[in-house]
PDB file of all heavy atoms in Angstrom:
ATOM      1  N   PHE A 296      -7.261   3.603   6.803  1.00  0.00           N
ATOM      2  CA  PHE A 296      -7.180   3.859   8.261  1.00  0.00           C
ATOM      3  C   PHE A 296      -7.055   5.369   8.479  1.00  0.00           C
ATOM      4  O   PHE A 296      -5.937   5.896   8.583  1.00  0.00           O
ATOM      5  CB  PHE A 296      -5.971   3.138   8.860  1.00  0.00           C
ATOM      6  CG  PHE A 296      -5.861   1.687   8.480  1.00  0.00           C
ATOM      7  CD1 PHE A 296      -4.963   1.281   7.494  1.00  0.00           C
ATOM      8  CD2 PHE A 296      -6.660   0.726   9.097  1.00  0.00           C
ATOM      9  CE1 PHE A 296      -4.852  -0.052   7.136  1.00  0.00           C
ATOM     10  CE2 PHE A 296      -6.556  -0.614   8.743  1.00  0.00           C
ATOM     11  CZ  PHE A 296      -5.658  -1.002   7.759  1.00  0.00           C
ATOM     12  N   TRP A 310      -5.377   6.652  19.975  1.00  0.00           N
ATOM     13  CA  TRP A 310      -6.021   5.568  19.231  1.00  0.00           C
ATOM     14  C   TRP A 310      -6.616   4.580  20.231  1.00  0.00           C
ATOM     15  O   TRP A 310      -5.968   4.184  21.197  1.00  0.00           O
ATOM     16  CB  TRP A 310      -4.984   4.863  18.354  1.00  0.00           C
ATOM     17  CG  TRP A 310      -5.490   3.598  17.716  1.00  0.00           C
ATOM     18  CD1 TRP A 310      -6.397   3.504  16.702  1.00  0.00           C
ATOM     19  CD2 TRP A 310      -5.133   2.253  18.081  1.00  0.00           C
ATOM     20  NE1 TRP A 310      -6.622   2.175  16.407  1.00  0.00           N
ATOM     21  CE2 TRP A 310      -5.860   1.398  17.239  1.00  0.00           C
ATOM     22  CE3 TRP A 310      -4.269   1.701  19.023  1.00  0.00           C
ATOM     23  CZ2 TRP A 310      -5.745   0.003  17.307  1.00  0.00           C
ATOM     24  CZ3 TRP A 310      -4.156   0.310  19.106  1.00  0.00           C
ATOM     25  CH2 TRP A 310      -4.892  -0.518  18.246  1.00  0.00           C
ATOM     26  N   ILE A 311      -7.866   4.240  20.004  1.00  0.00           N
ATOM     27  CA  ILE A 311      -8.528   3.260  20.862  1.00  0.00           C
ATOM     28  C   ILE A 311      -8.630   1.945  20.100  1.00  0.00           C
ATOM     29  O   ILE A 311      -9.075   1.922  18.944  1.00  0.00           O
ATOM     30  CB  ILE A 311      -9.939   3.748  21.274  1.00  0.00           C
ATOM     31  CG1 ILE A 311      -9.836   5.045  22.091  1.00  0.00           C
ATOM     32  CG2 ILE A 311     -10.687   2.675  22.071  1.00  0.00           C
ATOM     33  CD1 ILE A 311      -9.100   4.886  23.413  1.00  0.00           C
ATOM     34  N   ASN A 312      -8.212   0.886  20.741  1.00  0.00           N
ATOM     35  CA  ASN A 312      -8.149  -0.423  20.089  1.00  0.00           C
ATOM     36  C   ASN A 312      -9.535  -1.068  20.026  1.00  0.00           C
ATOM     37  O   ASN A 312     -10.049  -1.547  21.039  1.00  0.00           O
ATOM     38  CB  ASN A 312      -7.177  -1.311  20.871  1.00  0.00           C
ATOM     39  CG  ASN A 312      -7.014  -2.681  20.237  1.00  0.00           C
ATOM     40  OD1 ASN A 312      -7.419  -2.902  19.093  1.00  0.00           O
ATOM     41  ND2 ASN A 312      -6.420  -3.600  20.987  1.00  0.00           N
ATOM     42  N   ASP A 313     -10.124  -1.128  18.838  1.00  0.00           N
ATOM     43  CA  ASP A 313     -11.469  -1.713  18.746  1.00  0.00           C
ATOM     44  C   ASP A 313     -11.434  -3.245  18.708  1.00  0.00           C
ATOM     45  O   ASP A 313     -12.474  -3.900  18.693  1.00  0.00           O
ATOM     46  CB  ASP A 313     -12.249  -1.131  17.554  1.00  0.00           C
ATOM     47  CG  ASP A 313     -11.566  -1.408  16.231  1.00  0.00           C
ATOM     48  OD1 ASP A 313     -10.599  -2.207  16.215  1.00  0.00           O
ATOM     49  OD2 ASP A 313     -11.971  -0.817  15.208  1.00  0.00           O
ATOM     50  N   LYS A 314     -10.227  -3.812  18.711  1.00  0.00           N
ATOM     51  CA  LYS A 314     -10.120  -5.278  18.760  1.00  0.00           C
ATOM     52  C   LYS A 314      -9.921  -5.799  20.178  1.00  0.00           C
ATOM     53  O   LYS A 314      -9.752  -6.997  20.409  1.00  0.00           O
ATOM     54  CB  LYS A 314      -8.966  -5.754  17.886  1.00  0.00           C
ATOM     55  CG  LYS A 314      -9.153  -5.438  16.408  1.00  0.00           C
ATOM     56  CD  LYS A 314      -8.210  -6.283  15.561  1.00  0.00           C
ATOM     57  CE  LYS A 314      -8.391  -5.999  14.091  1.00  0.00           C
ATOM     58  NZ  LYS A 314      -7.889  -4.648  13.715  1.00  0.00           N
ATOM     59  N   LYS A 315      -9.921  -4.887  21.132  1.00  0.00           N
ATOM     60  CA  LYS A 315      -9.754  -5.330  22.518  1.00  0.00           C
ATOM     61  C   LYS A 315     -10.911  -6.241  22.924  1.00  0.00           C
ATOM     62  O   LYS A 315     -12.061  -5.995  22.550  1.00  0.00           O
ATOM     63  CB  LYS A 315      -9.708  -4.122  23.446  1.00  0.00           C
ATOM     64  CG  LYS A 315      -9.322  -4.524  24.856  1.00  0.00           C
ATOM     65  CD  LYS A 315      -9.732  -3.503  25.880  1.00  0.00           C
ATOM     66  CE  LYS A 315      -9.969  -4.191  27.194  1.00  0.00           C
ATOM     67  NZ  LYS A 315     -10.318  -3.275  28.264  1.00  0.00           N
ATOM     68  N   MET A 316     -10.584  -7.285  23.680  1.00  0.00           N
ATOM     69  CA  MET A 316     -11.627  -8.237  24.093  1.00  0.00           C
ATOM     70  C   MET A 316     -11.770  -8.263  25.605  1.00  0.00           C
ATOM     71  O   MET A 316     -10.828  -7.972  26.336  1.00  0.00           O
ATOM     72  CB  MET A 316     -11.247  -9.650  23.659  1.00  0.00           C
ATOM     73  CG  MET A 316     -11.346  -9.888  22.191  1.00  0.00           C
ATOM     74  SD  MET A 316     -10.858 -11.602  21.900  1.00  0.00           S
ATOM     75  CE  MET A 316     -10.965 -11.624  20.110  1.00  0.00           C
ATOM     76  N   LYS A 317     -12.926  -8.722  26.023  1.00  0.00           N
ATOM     77  CA  LYS A 317     -13.129  -9.024  27.445  1.00  0.00           C
ATOM     78  C   LYS A 317     -12.175 -10.142  27.841  1.00  0.00           C
ATOM     79  O   LYS A 317     -11.873 -11.037  27.036  1.00  0.00           O
ATOM     80  CB  LYS A 317     -14.568  -9.516  27.655  1.00  0.00           C
ATOM     81  CG  LYS A 317     -15.581  -8.399  27.659  1.00  0.00           C
ATOM     82  CD  LYS A 317     -16.040  -8.159  29.105  1.00  0.00           C
ATOM     83  CE  LYS A 317     -17.147  -7.133  29.204  1.00  0.00           C
ATOM     84  NZ  LYS A 317     -16.631  -5.789  29.504  1.00  0.00           N
ATOM     85  N   LEU A 321     -10.394 -13.879  25.844  1.00  0.00           N
ATOM     86  CA  LEU A 321      -9.026 -13.833  25.319  1.00  0.00           C
ATOM     87  C   LEU A 321      -8.471 -15.230  25.111  1.00  0.00           C
ATOM     88  O   LEU A 321      -8.727 -16.146  25.898  1.00  0.00           O
ATOM     89  CB  LEU A 321      -8.107 -13.108  26.305  1.00  0.00           C
ATOM     90  CG  LEU A 321      -8.230 -11.593  26.390  1.00  0.00           C
ATOM     91  CD1 LEU A 321      -7.375 -11.074  27.543  1.00  0.00           C
ATOM     92  CD2 LEU A 321      -7.815 -10.934  25.079  1.00  0.00           C
ATOM     93  N   MET A 592      -0.370  -1.932  14.986  1.00  0.00           N
ATOM     94  CA  MET A 592      -1.656  -2.387  15.506  1.00  0.00           C
ATOM     95  C   MET A 592      -2.846  -1.841  14.727  1.00  0.00           C
ATOM     96  O   MET A 592      -3.835  -2.537  14.529  1.00  0.00           O
ATOM     97  CB  MET A 592      -1.751  -2.049  16.992  1.00  0.00           C
ATOM     98  CG  MET A 592      -0.714  -2.854  17.784  1.00  0.00           C
ATOM     99  SD  MET A 592      -1.030  -3.044  19.529  1.00  0.00           S
ATOM    100  CE  MET A 592      -2.619  -3.803  19.581  1.00  0.00           C
ATOM    101  N   VAL A 593      -2.742  -0.598  14.295  1.00  0.00           N
ATOM    102  CA  VAL A 593      -3.844  -0.023  13.515  1.00  0.00           C
ATOM    103  C   VAL A 593      -4.051  -0.819  12.226  1.00  0.00           C
ATOM    104  O   VAL A 593      -5.169  -1.163  11.856  1.00  0.00           O
ATOM    105  CB  VAL A 593      -3.559   1.463  13.165  1.00  0.00           C
ATOM    106  CG1 VAL A 593      -4.522   1.970  12.104  1.00  0.00           C
ATOM    107  CG2 VAL A 593      -3.637   2.326  14.420  1.00  0.00           C
ATOM    108  N   THR A 594      -2.934  -1.139  11.561  1.00  0.00           N
ATOM    109  CA  THR A 594      -3.052  -1.824  10.268  1.00  0.00           C
ATOM    110  C   THR A 594      -3.132  -3.337  10.431  1.00  0.00           C
ATOM    111  O   THR A 594      -3.493  -4.029   9.482  1.00  0.00           O
ATOM    112  CB  THR A 594      -1.825  -1.525   9.388  1.00  0.00           C
ATOM    113  OG1 THR A 594      -0.651  -2.032  10.054  1.00  0.00           O
ATOM    114  CG2 THR A 594      -1.649  -0.036   9.153  1.00  0.00           C
ATOM    115  N   GLY A 595      -2.755  -3.842  11.595  1.00  0.00           N
ATOM    116  CA  GLY A 595      -2.701  -5.283  11.784  1.00  0.00           C
ATOM    117  C   GLY A 595      -1.544  -5.929  11.038  1.00  0.00           C
ATOM    118  O   GLY A 595      -1.505  -7.149  10.868  1.00  0.00           O
ATOM    119  N   MET A 629      -0.496  -8.105  21.998  1.00  0.00           N
ATOM    120  CA  MET A 629      -1.318  -6.981  22.432  1.00  0.00           C
ATOM    121  C   MET A 629      -2.613  -6.827  21.644  1.00  0.00           C
ATOM    122  O   MET A 629      -3.485  -6.050  22.018  1.00  0.00           O
ATOM    123  CB  MET A 629      -0.511  -5.675  22.326  1.00  0.00           C
ATOM    124  CG  MET A 629       0.576  -5.541  23.375  1.00  0.00           C
ATOM    125  SD  MET A 629      -0.075  -5.500  25.073  1.00  0.00           S
ATOM    126  CE  MET A 629       0.163  -7.194  25.613  1.00  0.00           C
ATOM    127  N   LYS A 630      -2.730  -7.575  20.557  1.00  0.00           N
ATOM    128  CA  LYS A 630      -3.842  -7.373  19.618  1.00  0.00           C
ATOM    129  C   LYS A 630      -5.195  -7.229  20.321  1.00  0.00           C
ATOM    130  O   LYS A 630      -5.948  -6.290  20.033  1.00  0.00           O
ATOM    131  CB  LYS A 630      -3.887  -8.534  18.631  1.00  0.00           C
ATOM    132  CG  LYS A 630      -4.965  -8.390  17.594  1.00  0.00           C
ATOM    133  CD  LYS A 630      -4.908  -9.513  16.577  1.00  0.00           C
ATOM    134  CE  LYS A 630      -6.150  -9.445  15.696  1.00  0.00           C
ATOM    135  NZ  LYS A 630      -6.360 -10.684  14.948  1.00  0.00           N
ATOM    136  N   ASN A 631      -5.510  -8.127  21.244  1.00  0.00           N
ATOM    137  CA  ASN A 631      -6.823  -8.099  21.898  1.00  0.00           C
ATOM    138  C   ASN A 631      -6.763  -7.667  23.364  1.00  0.00           C
ATOM    139  O   ASN A 631      -7.728  -7.813  24.102  1.00  0.00           O
ATOM    140  CB  ASN A 631      -7.475  -9.489  21.816  1.00  0.00           C
ATOM    141  CG  ASN A 631      -7.564 -10.003  20.393  1.00  0.00           C
ATOM    142  OD1 ASN A 631      -7.065 -11.076  20.080  1.00  0.00           O
ATOM    143  ND2 ASN A 631      -8.169  -9.228  19.515  1.00  0.00           N
ATOM    144  N   ILE A 632      -5.593  -7.175  23.769  1.00  0.00           N
ATOM    145  CA  ILE A 632      -5.400  -6.829  25.183  1.00  0.00           C
ATOM    146  C   ILE A 632      -5.253  -5.327  25.399  1.00  0.00           C
ATOM    147  O   ILE A 632      -5.823  -4.754  26.336  1.00  0.00           O
ATOM    148  CB  ILE A 632      -4.151  -7.574  25.741  1.00  0.00           C
ATOM    149  CG1 ILE A 632      -4.485  -9.058  25.929  1.00  0.00           C
ATOM    150  CG2 ILE A 632      -3.668  -6.949  27.050  1.00  0.00           C
ATOM    151  CD1 ILE A 632      -3.357  -9.893  26.522  1.00  0.00           C
ATOM    152  N   LEU A 633      -4.486  -4.707  24.513  1.00  0.00           N
ATOM    153  CA  LEU A 633      -4.191  -3.279  24.700  1.00  0.00           C
ATOM    154  C   LEU A 633      -5.452  -2.424  24.525  1.00  0.00           C
ATOM    155  O   LEU A 633      -6.283  -2.692  23.666  1.00  0.00           O
ATOM    156  CB  LEU A 633      -3.132  -2.855  23.671  1.00  0.00           C
ATOM    157  CG  LEU A 633      -2.485  -1.497  23.917  1.00  0.00           C
ATOM    158  CD1 LEU A 633      -1.616  -1.548  25.171  1.00  0.00           C
ATOM    159  CD2 LEU A 633      -1.637  -1.076  22.710  1.00  0.00           C
TER     160      LEU A 633
END
Side-chain angles (χ1 to χ4, degrees):
F296 310 102
W310 171 72
I311 298 297
N312 182 14
D313 61 10
K314 297 197 179 70
K315 189 201 152 178
M316 288 180 183
K317 282 254 185 264
L321 285 173
M592 294 201 57
V593 167
T594 62
M629 288 298 99
K630 182 176 171 196
N631 305 123
I632 286 182
L633 193 68

